[in-house]
Amino acid sequence: MSHDSSTYQGWRTRLRLTGPDLAVGLFGTLAAALLNMWVFELSEGYLVRVGALYVVLSVLVVASLPVLLGAPHLGAANRVTLGRAALVLPLAALTIQLQVTSVHGYWWIIAVATVAMILDGVDGCVARRRGPTVFGARFDMELDAFLLLVLTL
């Protein structure tokens, strides 16, 4: 019984640490998704897919965050990575949209992916200045791998 209680406390602590940052990230993700909806005239189903991807990301972040992070939030570098995720997740949901298979669509994807890659460099610079963490390095690398997967589709 005490194991269940400590697990619950760990989740509560992680959620308290990440909740505000994840809420801001959700707004950024939804803004990017709404822009994609406007550019490509997509249905509401696209927005639902982006939301589902964000829920998965949020659960993975909360589950992976060390309880003893020692900070009251994710940290600057991880916030930049979360901002990058706000661009990458809507791109991932675009992969099954037929409206994107045009020259205009391909250039849009290239532009958004380029901004995401530039933010990857910013994230690394911030992490080196503020001190990298194991969680931050993993979060960054997993998002990099996911972006590469999305771009191959």
Side-chain angles (χ1 to χ4, degrees), residues 5 20 26 34 36 40 43 49 59 62 65 72 75 80 98-99 103 106 109 118-119 121-122 138 143 145 148:
S5 176
L26 175 62
L34 288 170
N36 285 343
F40 295 109
S43 70
R49 284 189 295 280
V59 168
V62 171
L65 186 73
V80 174
L98 292 177
Q99 296 93 321
V103 172
Y106 295 144
I109 291 170
I118 290 169
L119 285 175
V122 171
R138 177 83 187 257
L143 191 59
L148 289 176

Coordinates of all heavy atoms in Angstrom, one line a residue, residues 5 20 26 34 36 40 43 49 59 62 65 72 75 80 98-99 103 106 109 118-119 121-122 138 143 145 148:
S5 N 1.1 4.6 -2.6 CA 1.1 6.0 -2.1 C 2.3 6.8 -2.6 O 2.2 7.9 -3.0 CB 1.0 6.0 -0.6 OG 1.0 7.3 -0.1
P20 N 2.4 23.8 -15.2 CA 2.3 25.1 -15.9 C 3.0 25.2 -17.2 O 2.5 25.8 -18.2 CB 3.0 26.0 -14.8 CG 2.8 25.3 -13.5 CD 2.9 23.9 -13.9
L26 N 0.8 23.5 -24.5 CA -0.4 23.1 -25.1 C -1.0 24.3 -25.9 O -1.4 24.1 -27.1 CB -1.5 22.7 -24.1 CG -2.9 22.4 -24.6 CD1 -2.8 21.2 -25.6 CD2 -3.8 22.1 -23.5
L34 N -3.8 25.3 -35.3 CA -4.8 26.2 -35.9 C -4.2 26.9 -37.1 O -5.0 27.1 -38.1 CB -5.3 27.2 -34.9 CG -6.2 26.6 -33.8 CD1 -6.5 27.6 -32.7 CD2 -7.5 26.0 -34.4
N36 N -1.9 25.7 -39.1 CA -1.9 24.6 -40.1 C -3.3 24.4 -40.7 O -3.5 24.2 -41.9 CB -1.3 23.3 -39.6 CG 0.2 23.4 -39.4 OD1 0.8 24.2 -40.0 ND2 0.7 22.5 -38.6
F40 N -4.0 25.0 -44.7 CA -4.4 23.8 -45.5 C -5.9 23.5 -45.5 O -6.3 22.5 -46.1 CB -3.6 22.6 -45.0 CG -2.2 22.7 -45.2 CD1 -1.3 22.8 -44.1 CD2 -1.6 22.6 -46.5 CE1 0.1 22.9 -44.3 CE2 -0.2 22.8 -46.7 CZ 0.6 22.9 -45.6
S43 N -9.9 19.8 -41.5 CA -11.1 19.6 -40.6 C -10.7 19.6 -39.2 O -9.5 19.5 -38.8 CB -11.7 18.3 -41.0 OG -10.9 17.2 -40.6
R49 N -6.3 15.0 -33.6 CA -5.0 14.2 -33.7 C -3.9 15.0 -33.0 O -3.0 14.3 -32.3 CB -4.7 13.9 -35.1 CG -5.6 12.8 -35.7 CD -5.1 12.3 -37.1 NE -5.2 13.4 -38.1 CZ -6.4 13.7 -38.7 NH1 -7.5 13.1 -38.4 NH2 -6.4 14.6 -39.6
V59 N 2.2 12.9 -21.0 CA 2.3 11.8 -20.1 C 3.7 11.3 -20.1 O 4.3 11.0 -19.0 CB 1.3 10.6 -20.6 CG1 1.7 9.3 -19.9 CG2 -0.1 11.1 -20.3
V62 N 5.8 13.8 -18.0 CA 5.5 13.7 -16.5 C 6.1 12.3 -16.0 O 6.7 12.3 -14.9 CB 4.0 13.8 -16.3 CG1 3.7 13.4 -14.8 CG2 3.5 15.2 -16.6
L65 N 10.2 12.6 -15.9 CA 10.8 13.7 -15.2 C 11.3 13.1 -13.8 O 10.5 12.5 -13.1 CB 9.9 14.8 -14.9 CG 10.5 16.1 -14.3 CD1 11.4 16.8 -15.2 CD2 9.4 17.0 -13.8
P72 N 11.6 24.2 -9.6 CA 10.1 24.3 -9.5 C 9.5 24.2 -10.9 O 8.3 24.5 -11.0 CB 9.9 25.7 -8.8 CG 11.1 26.5 -9.2 CD 12.2 25.5 -9.3
G75 N 12.7 24.0 -16.6 CA 14.0 24.7 -16.8 C 13.9 25.3 -18.2 O 13.1 24.9 -19.1
V80 N 12.4 25.3 -24.1 CA 12.7 25.5 -25.6 C 12.4 24.2 -26.3 O 11.7 24.2 -27.4 CB 14.2 25.9 -25.8 CG1 14.5 26.0 -27.3 CG2 14.4 27.3 -25.2
L98 N -4.0 14.8 -47.2 CA -3.7 14.9 -48.6 C -3.5 16.3 -49.1 O -2.8 16.5 -50.1 CB -4.9 14.3 -49.4 CG -5.1 12.8 -49.2 CD1 -6.3 12.3 -50.0 CD2 -3.8 12.0 -49.8
Q99 N -4.1 17.3 -48.3 CA -3.9 18.7 -48.7 C -2.5 19.1 -48.7 O -2.1 20.2 -49.3 CB -4.7 19.6 -47.8 CG -6.2 19.4 -47.8 CD -6.7 18.4 -46.7 OE1 -6.0 17.4 -46.5 NE2 -7.8 18.6 -46.2
V103 N 3.3 21.5 -53.8 CA 4.6 22.3 -53.7 C 4.4 23.3 -52.5 O 5.3 23.4 -51.7 CB 4.9 23.1 -55.0 CG1 6.0 24.0 -54.8 CG2 5.2 22.1 -56.1
Y106 N 4.8 21.3 -49.2 CA 6.1 20.9 -49.0 C 7.0 22.0 -48.5 O 7.8 21.8 -47.6 CB 6.7 20.2 -50.2 CG 6.1 18.9 -50.6 CD1 5.9 18.6 -52.0 CD2 5.5 18.0 -49.7 CE1 5.3 17.5 -52.4 CE2 4.9 16.9 -50.1 CZ 4.8 16.6 -51.5 OH 4.2 15.5 -51.9
I109 N 6.1 22.7 -44.8 CA 6.8 21.7 -44.0 C 8.3 22.0 -43.8 O 8.8 22.0 -42.7 CB 6.5 20.3 -44.5 CG1 5.1 19.9 -44.3 CG2 7.4 19.3 -43.8 CD1 4.6 18.6 -45.0
I118 N 16.3 25.0 -35.9 CA 17.0 26.2 -35.3 C 16.8 26.2 -33.8 O 17.7 26.5 -33.0 CB 16.5 27.5 -36.0 CG1 17.1 27.5 -37.4 CG2 17.0 28.7 -35.2 CD1 16.5 28.7 -38.2
L119 N 15.5 25.9 -33.4 CA 15.2 25.9 -31.9 C 16.0 24.8 -31.3 O 16.3 24.9 -30.1 CB 13.7 25.7 -31.7 CG 12.9 27.0 -31.9 CD1 11.4 26.6 -31.8 CD2 13.3 28.1 -31.0
G121 N 19.1 24.0 -31.9 CA 20.4 24.7 -31.6 C 20.3 25.6 -30.5 O 21.2 25.7 -29.6
V122 N 19.2 26.4 -30.4 CA 19.0 27.3 -29.2 C 18.9 26.5 -27.9 O 19.5 26.8 -26.9 CB 17.7 28.1 -29.5 CG1 17.4 28.9 -28.2 CG2 17.9 29.1 -30.6
R138 N 17.7 13.6 -22.9 CA 16.8 12.5 -23.4 C 15.6 13.1 -24.1 O 15.2 12.7 -25.2 CB 16.4 11.6 -22.3 CG 15.4 10.5 -22.7 CD 16.2 9.3 -23.2 NE 15.3 8.3 -23.7 CZ 15.0 7.2 -23.1 NH1 15.5 6.9 -22.0 NH2 14.2 6.3 -23.7
L143 N 12.8 14.0 -29.1 CA 12.1 14.9 -30.0 C 12.8 15.0 -31.4 O 12.2 15.1 -32.4 CB 11.9 16.3 -29.4 CG 10.9 17.2 -30.1 CD1 9.5 16.6 -30.2 CD2 10.8 18.5 -29.4
A145 N 14.6 12.7 -32.8 CA 14.3 11.4 -33.5 C 12.9 11.4 -34.1 O 12.6 11.0 -35.2 CB 14.5 10.2 -32.6
L148 N 12.7 13.6 -37.2 CA 13.3 12.9 -38.3 C 12.3 11.9 -38.9 O 12.2 11.7 -40.1 CB 14.6 12.3 -38.0 CG 15.8 13.3 -37.7 CD1 17.0 12.5 -37.3 CD2 16.1 14.0 -39.0

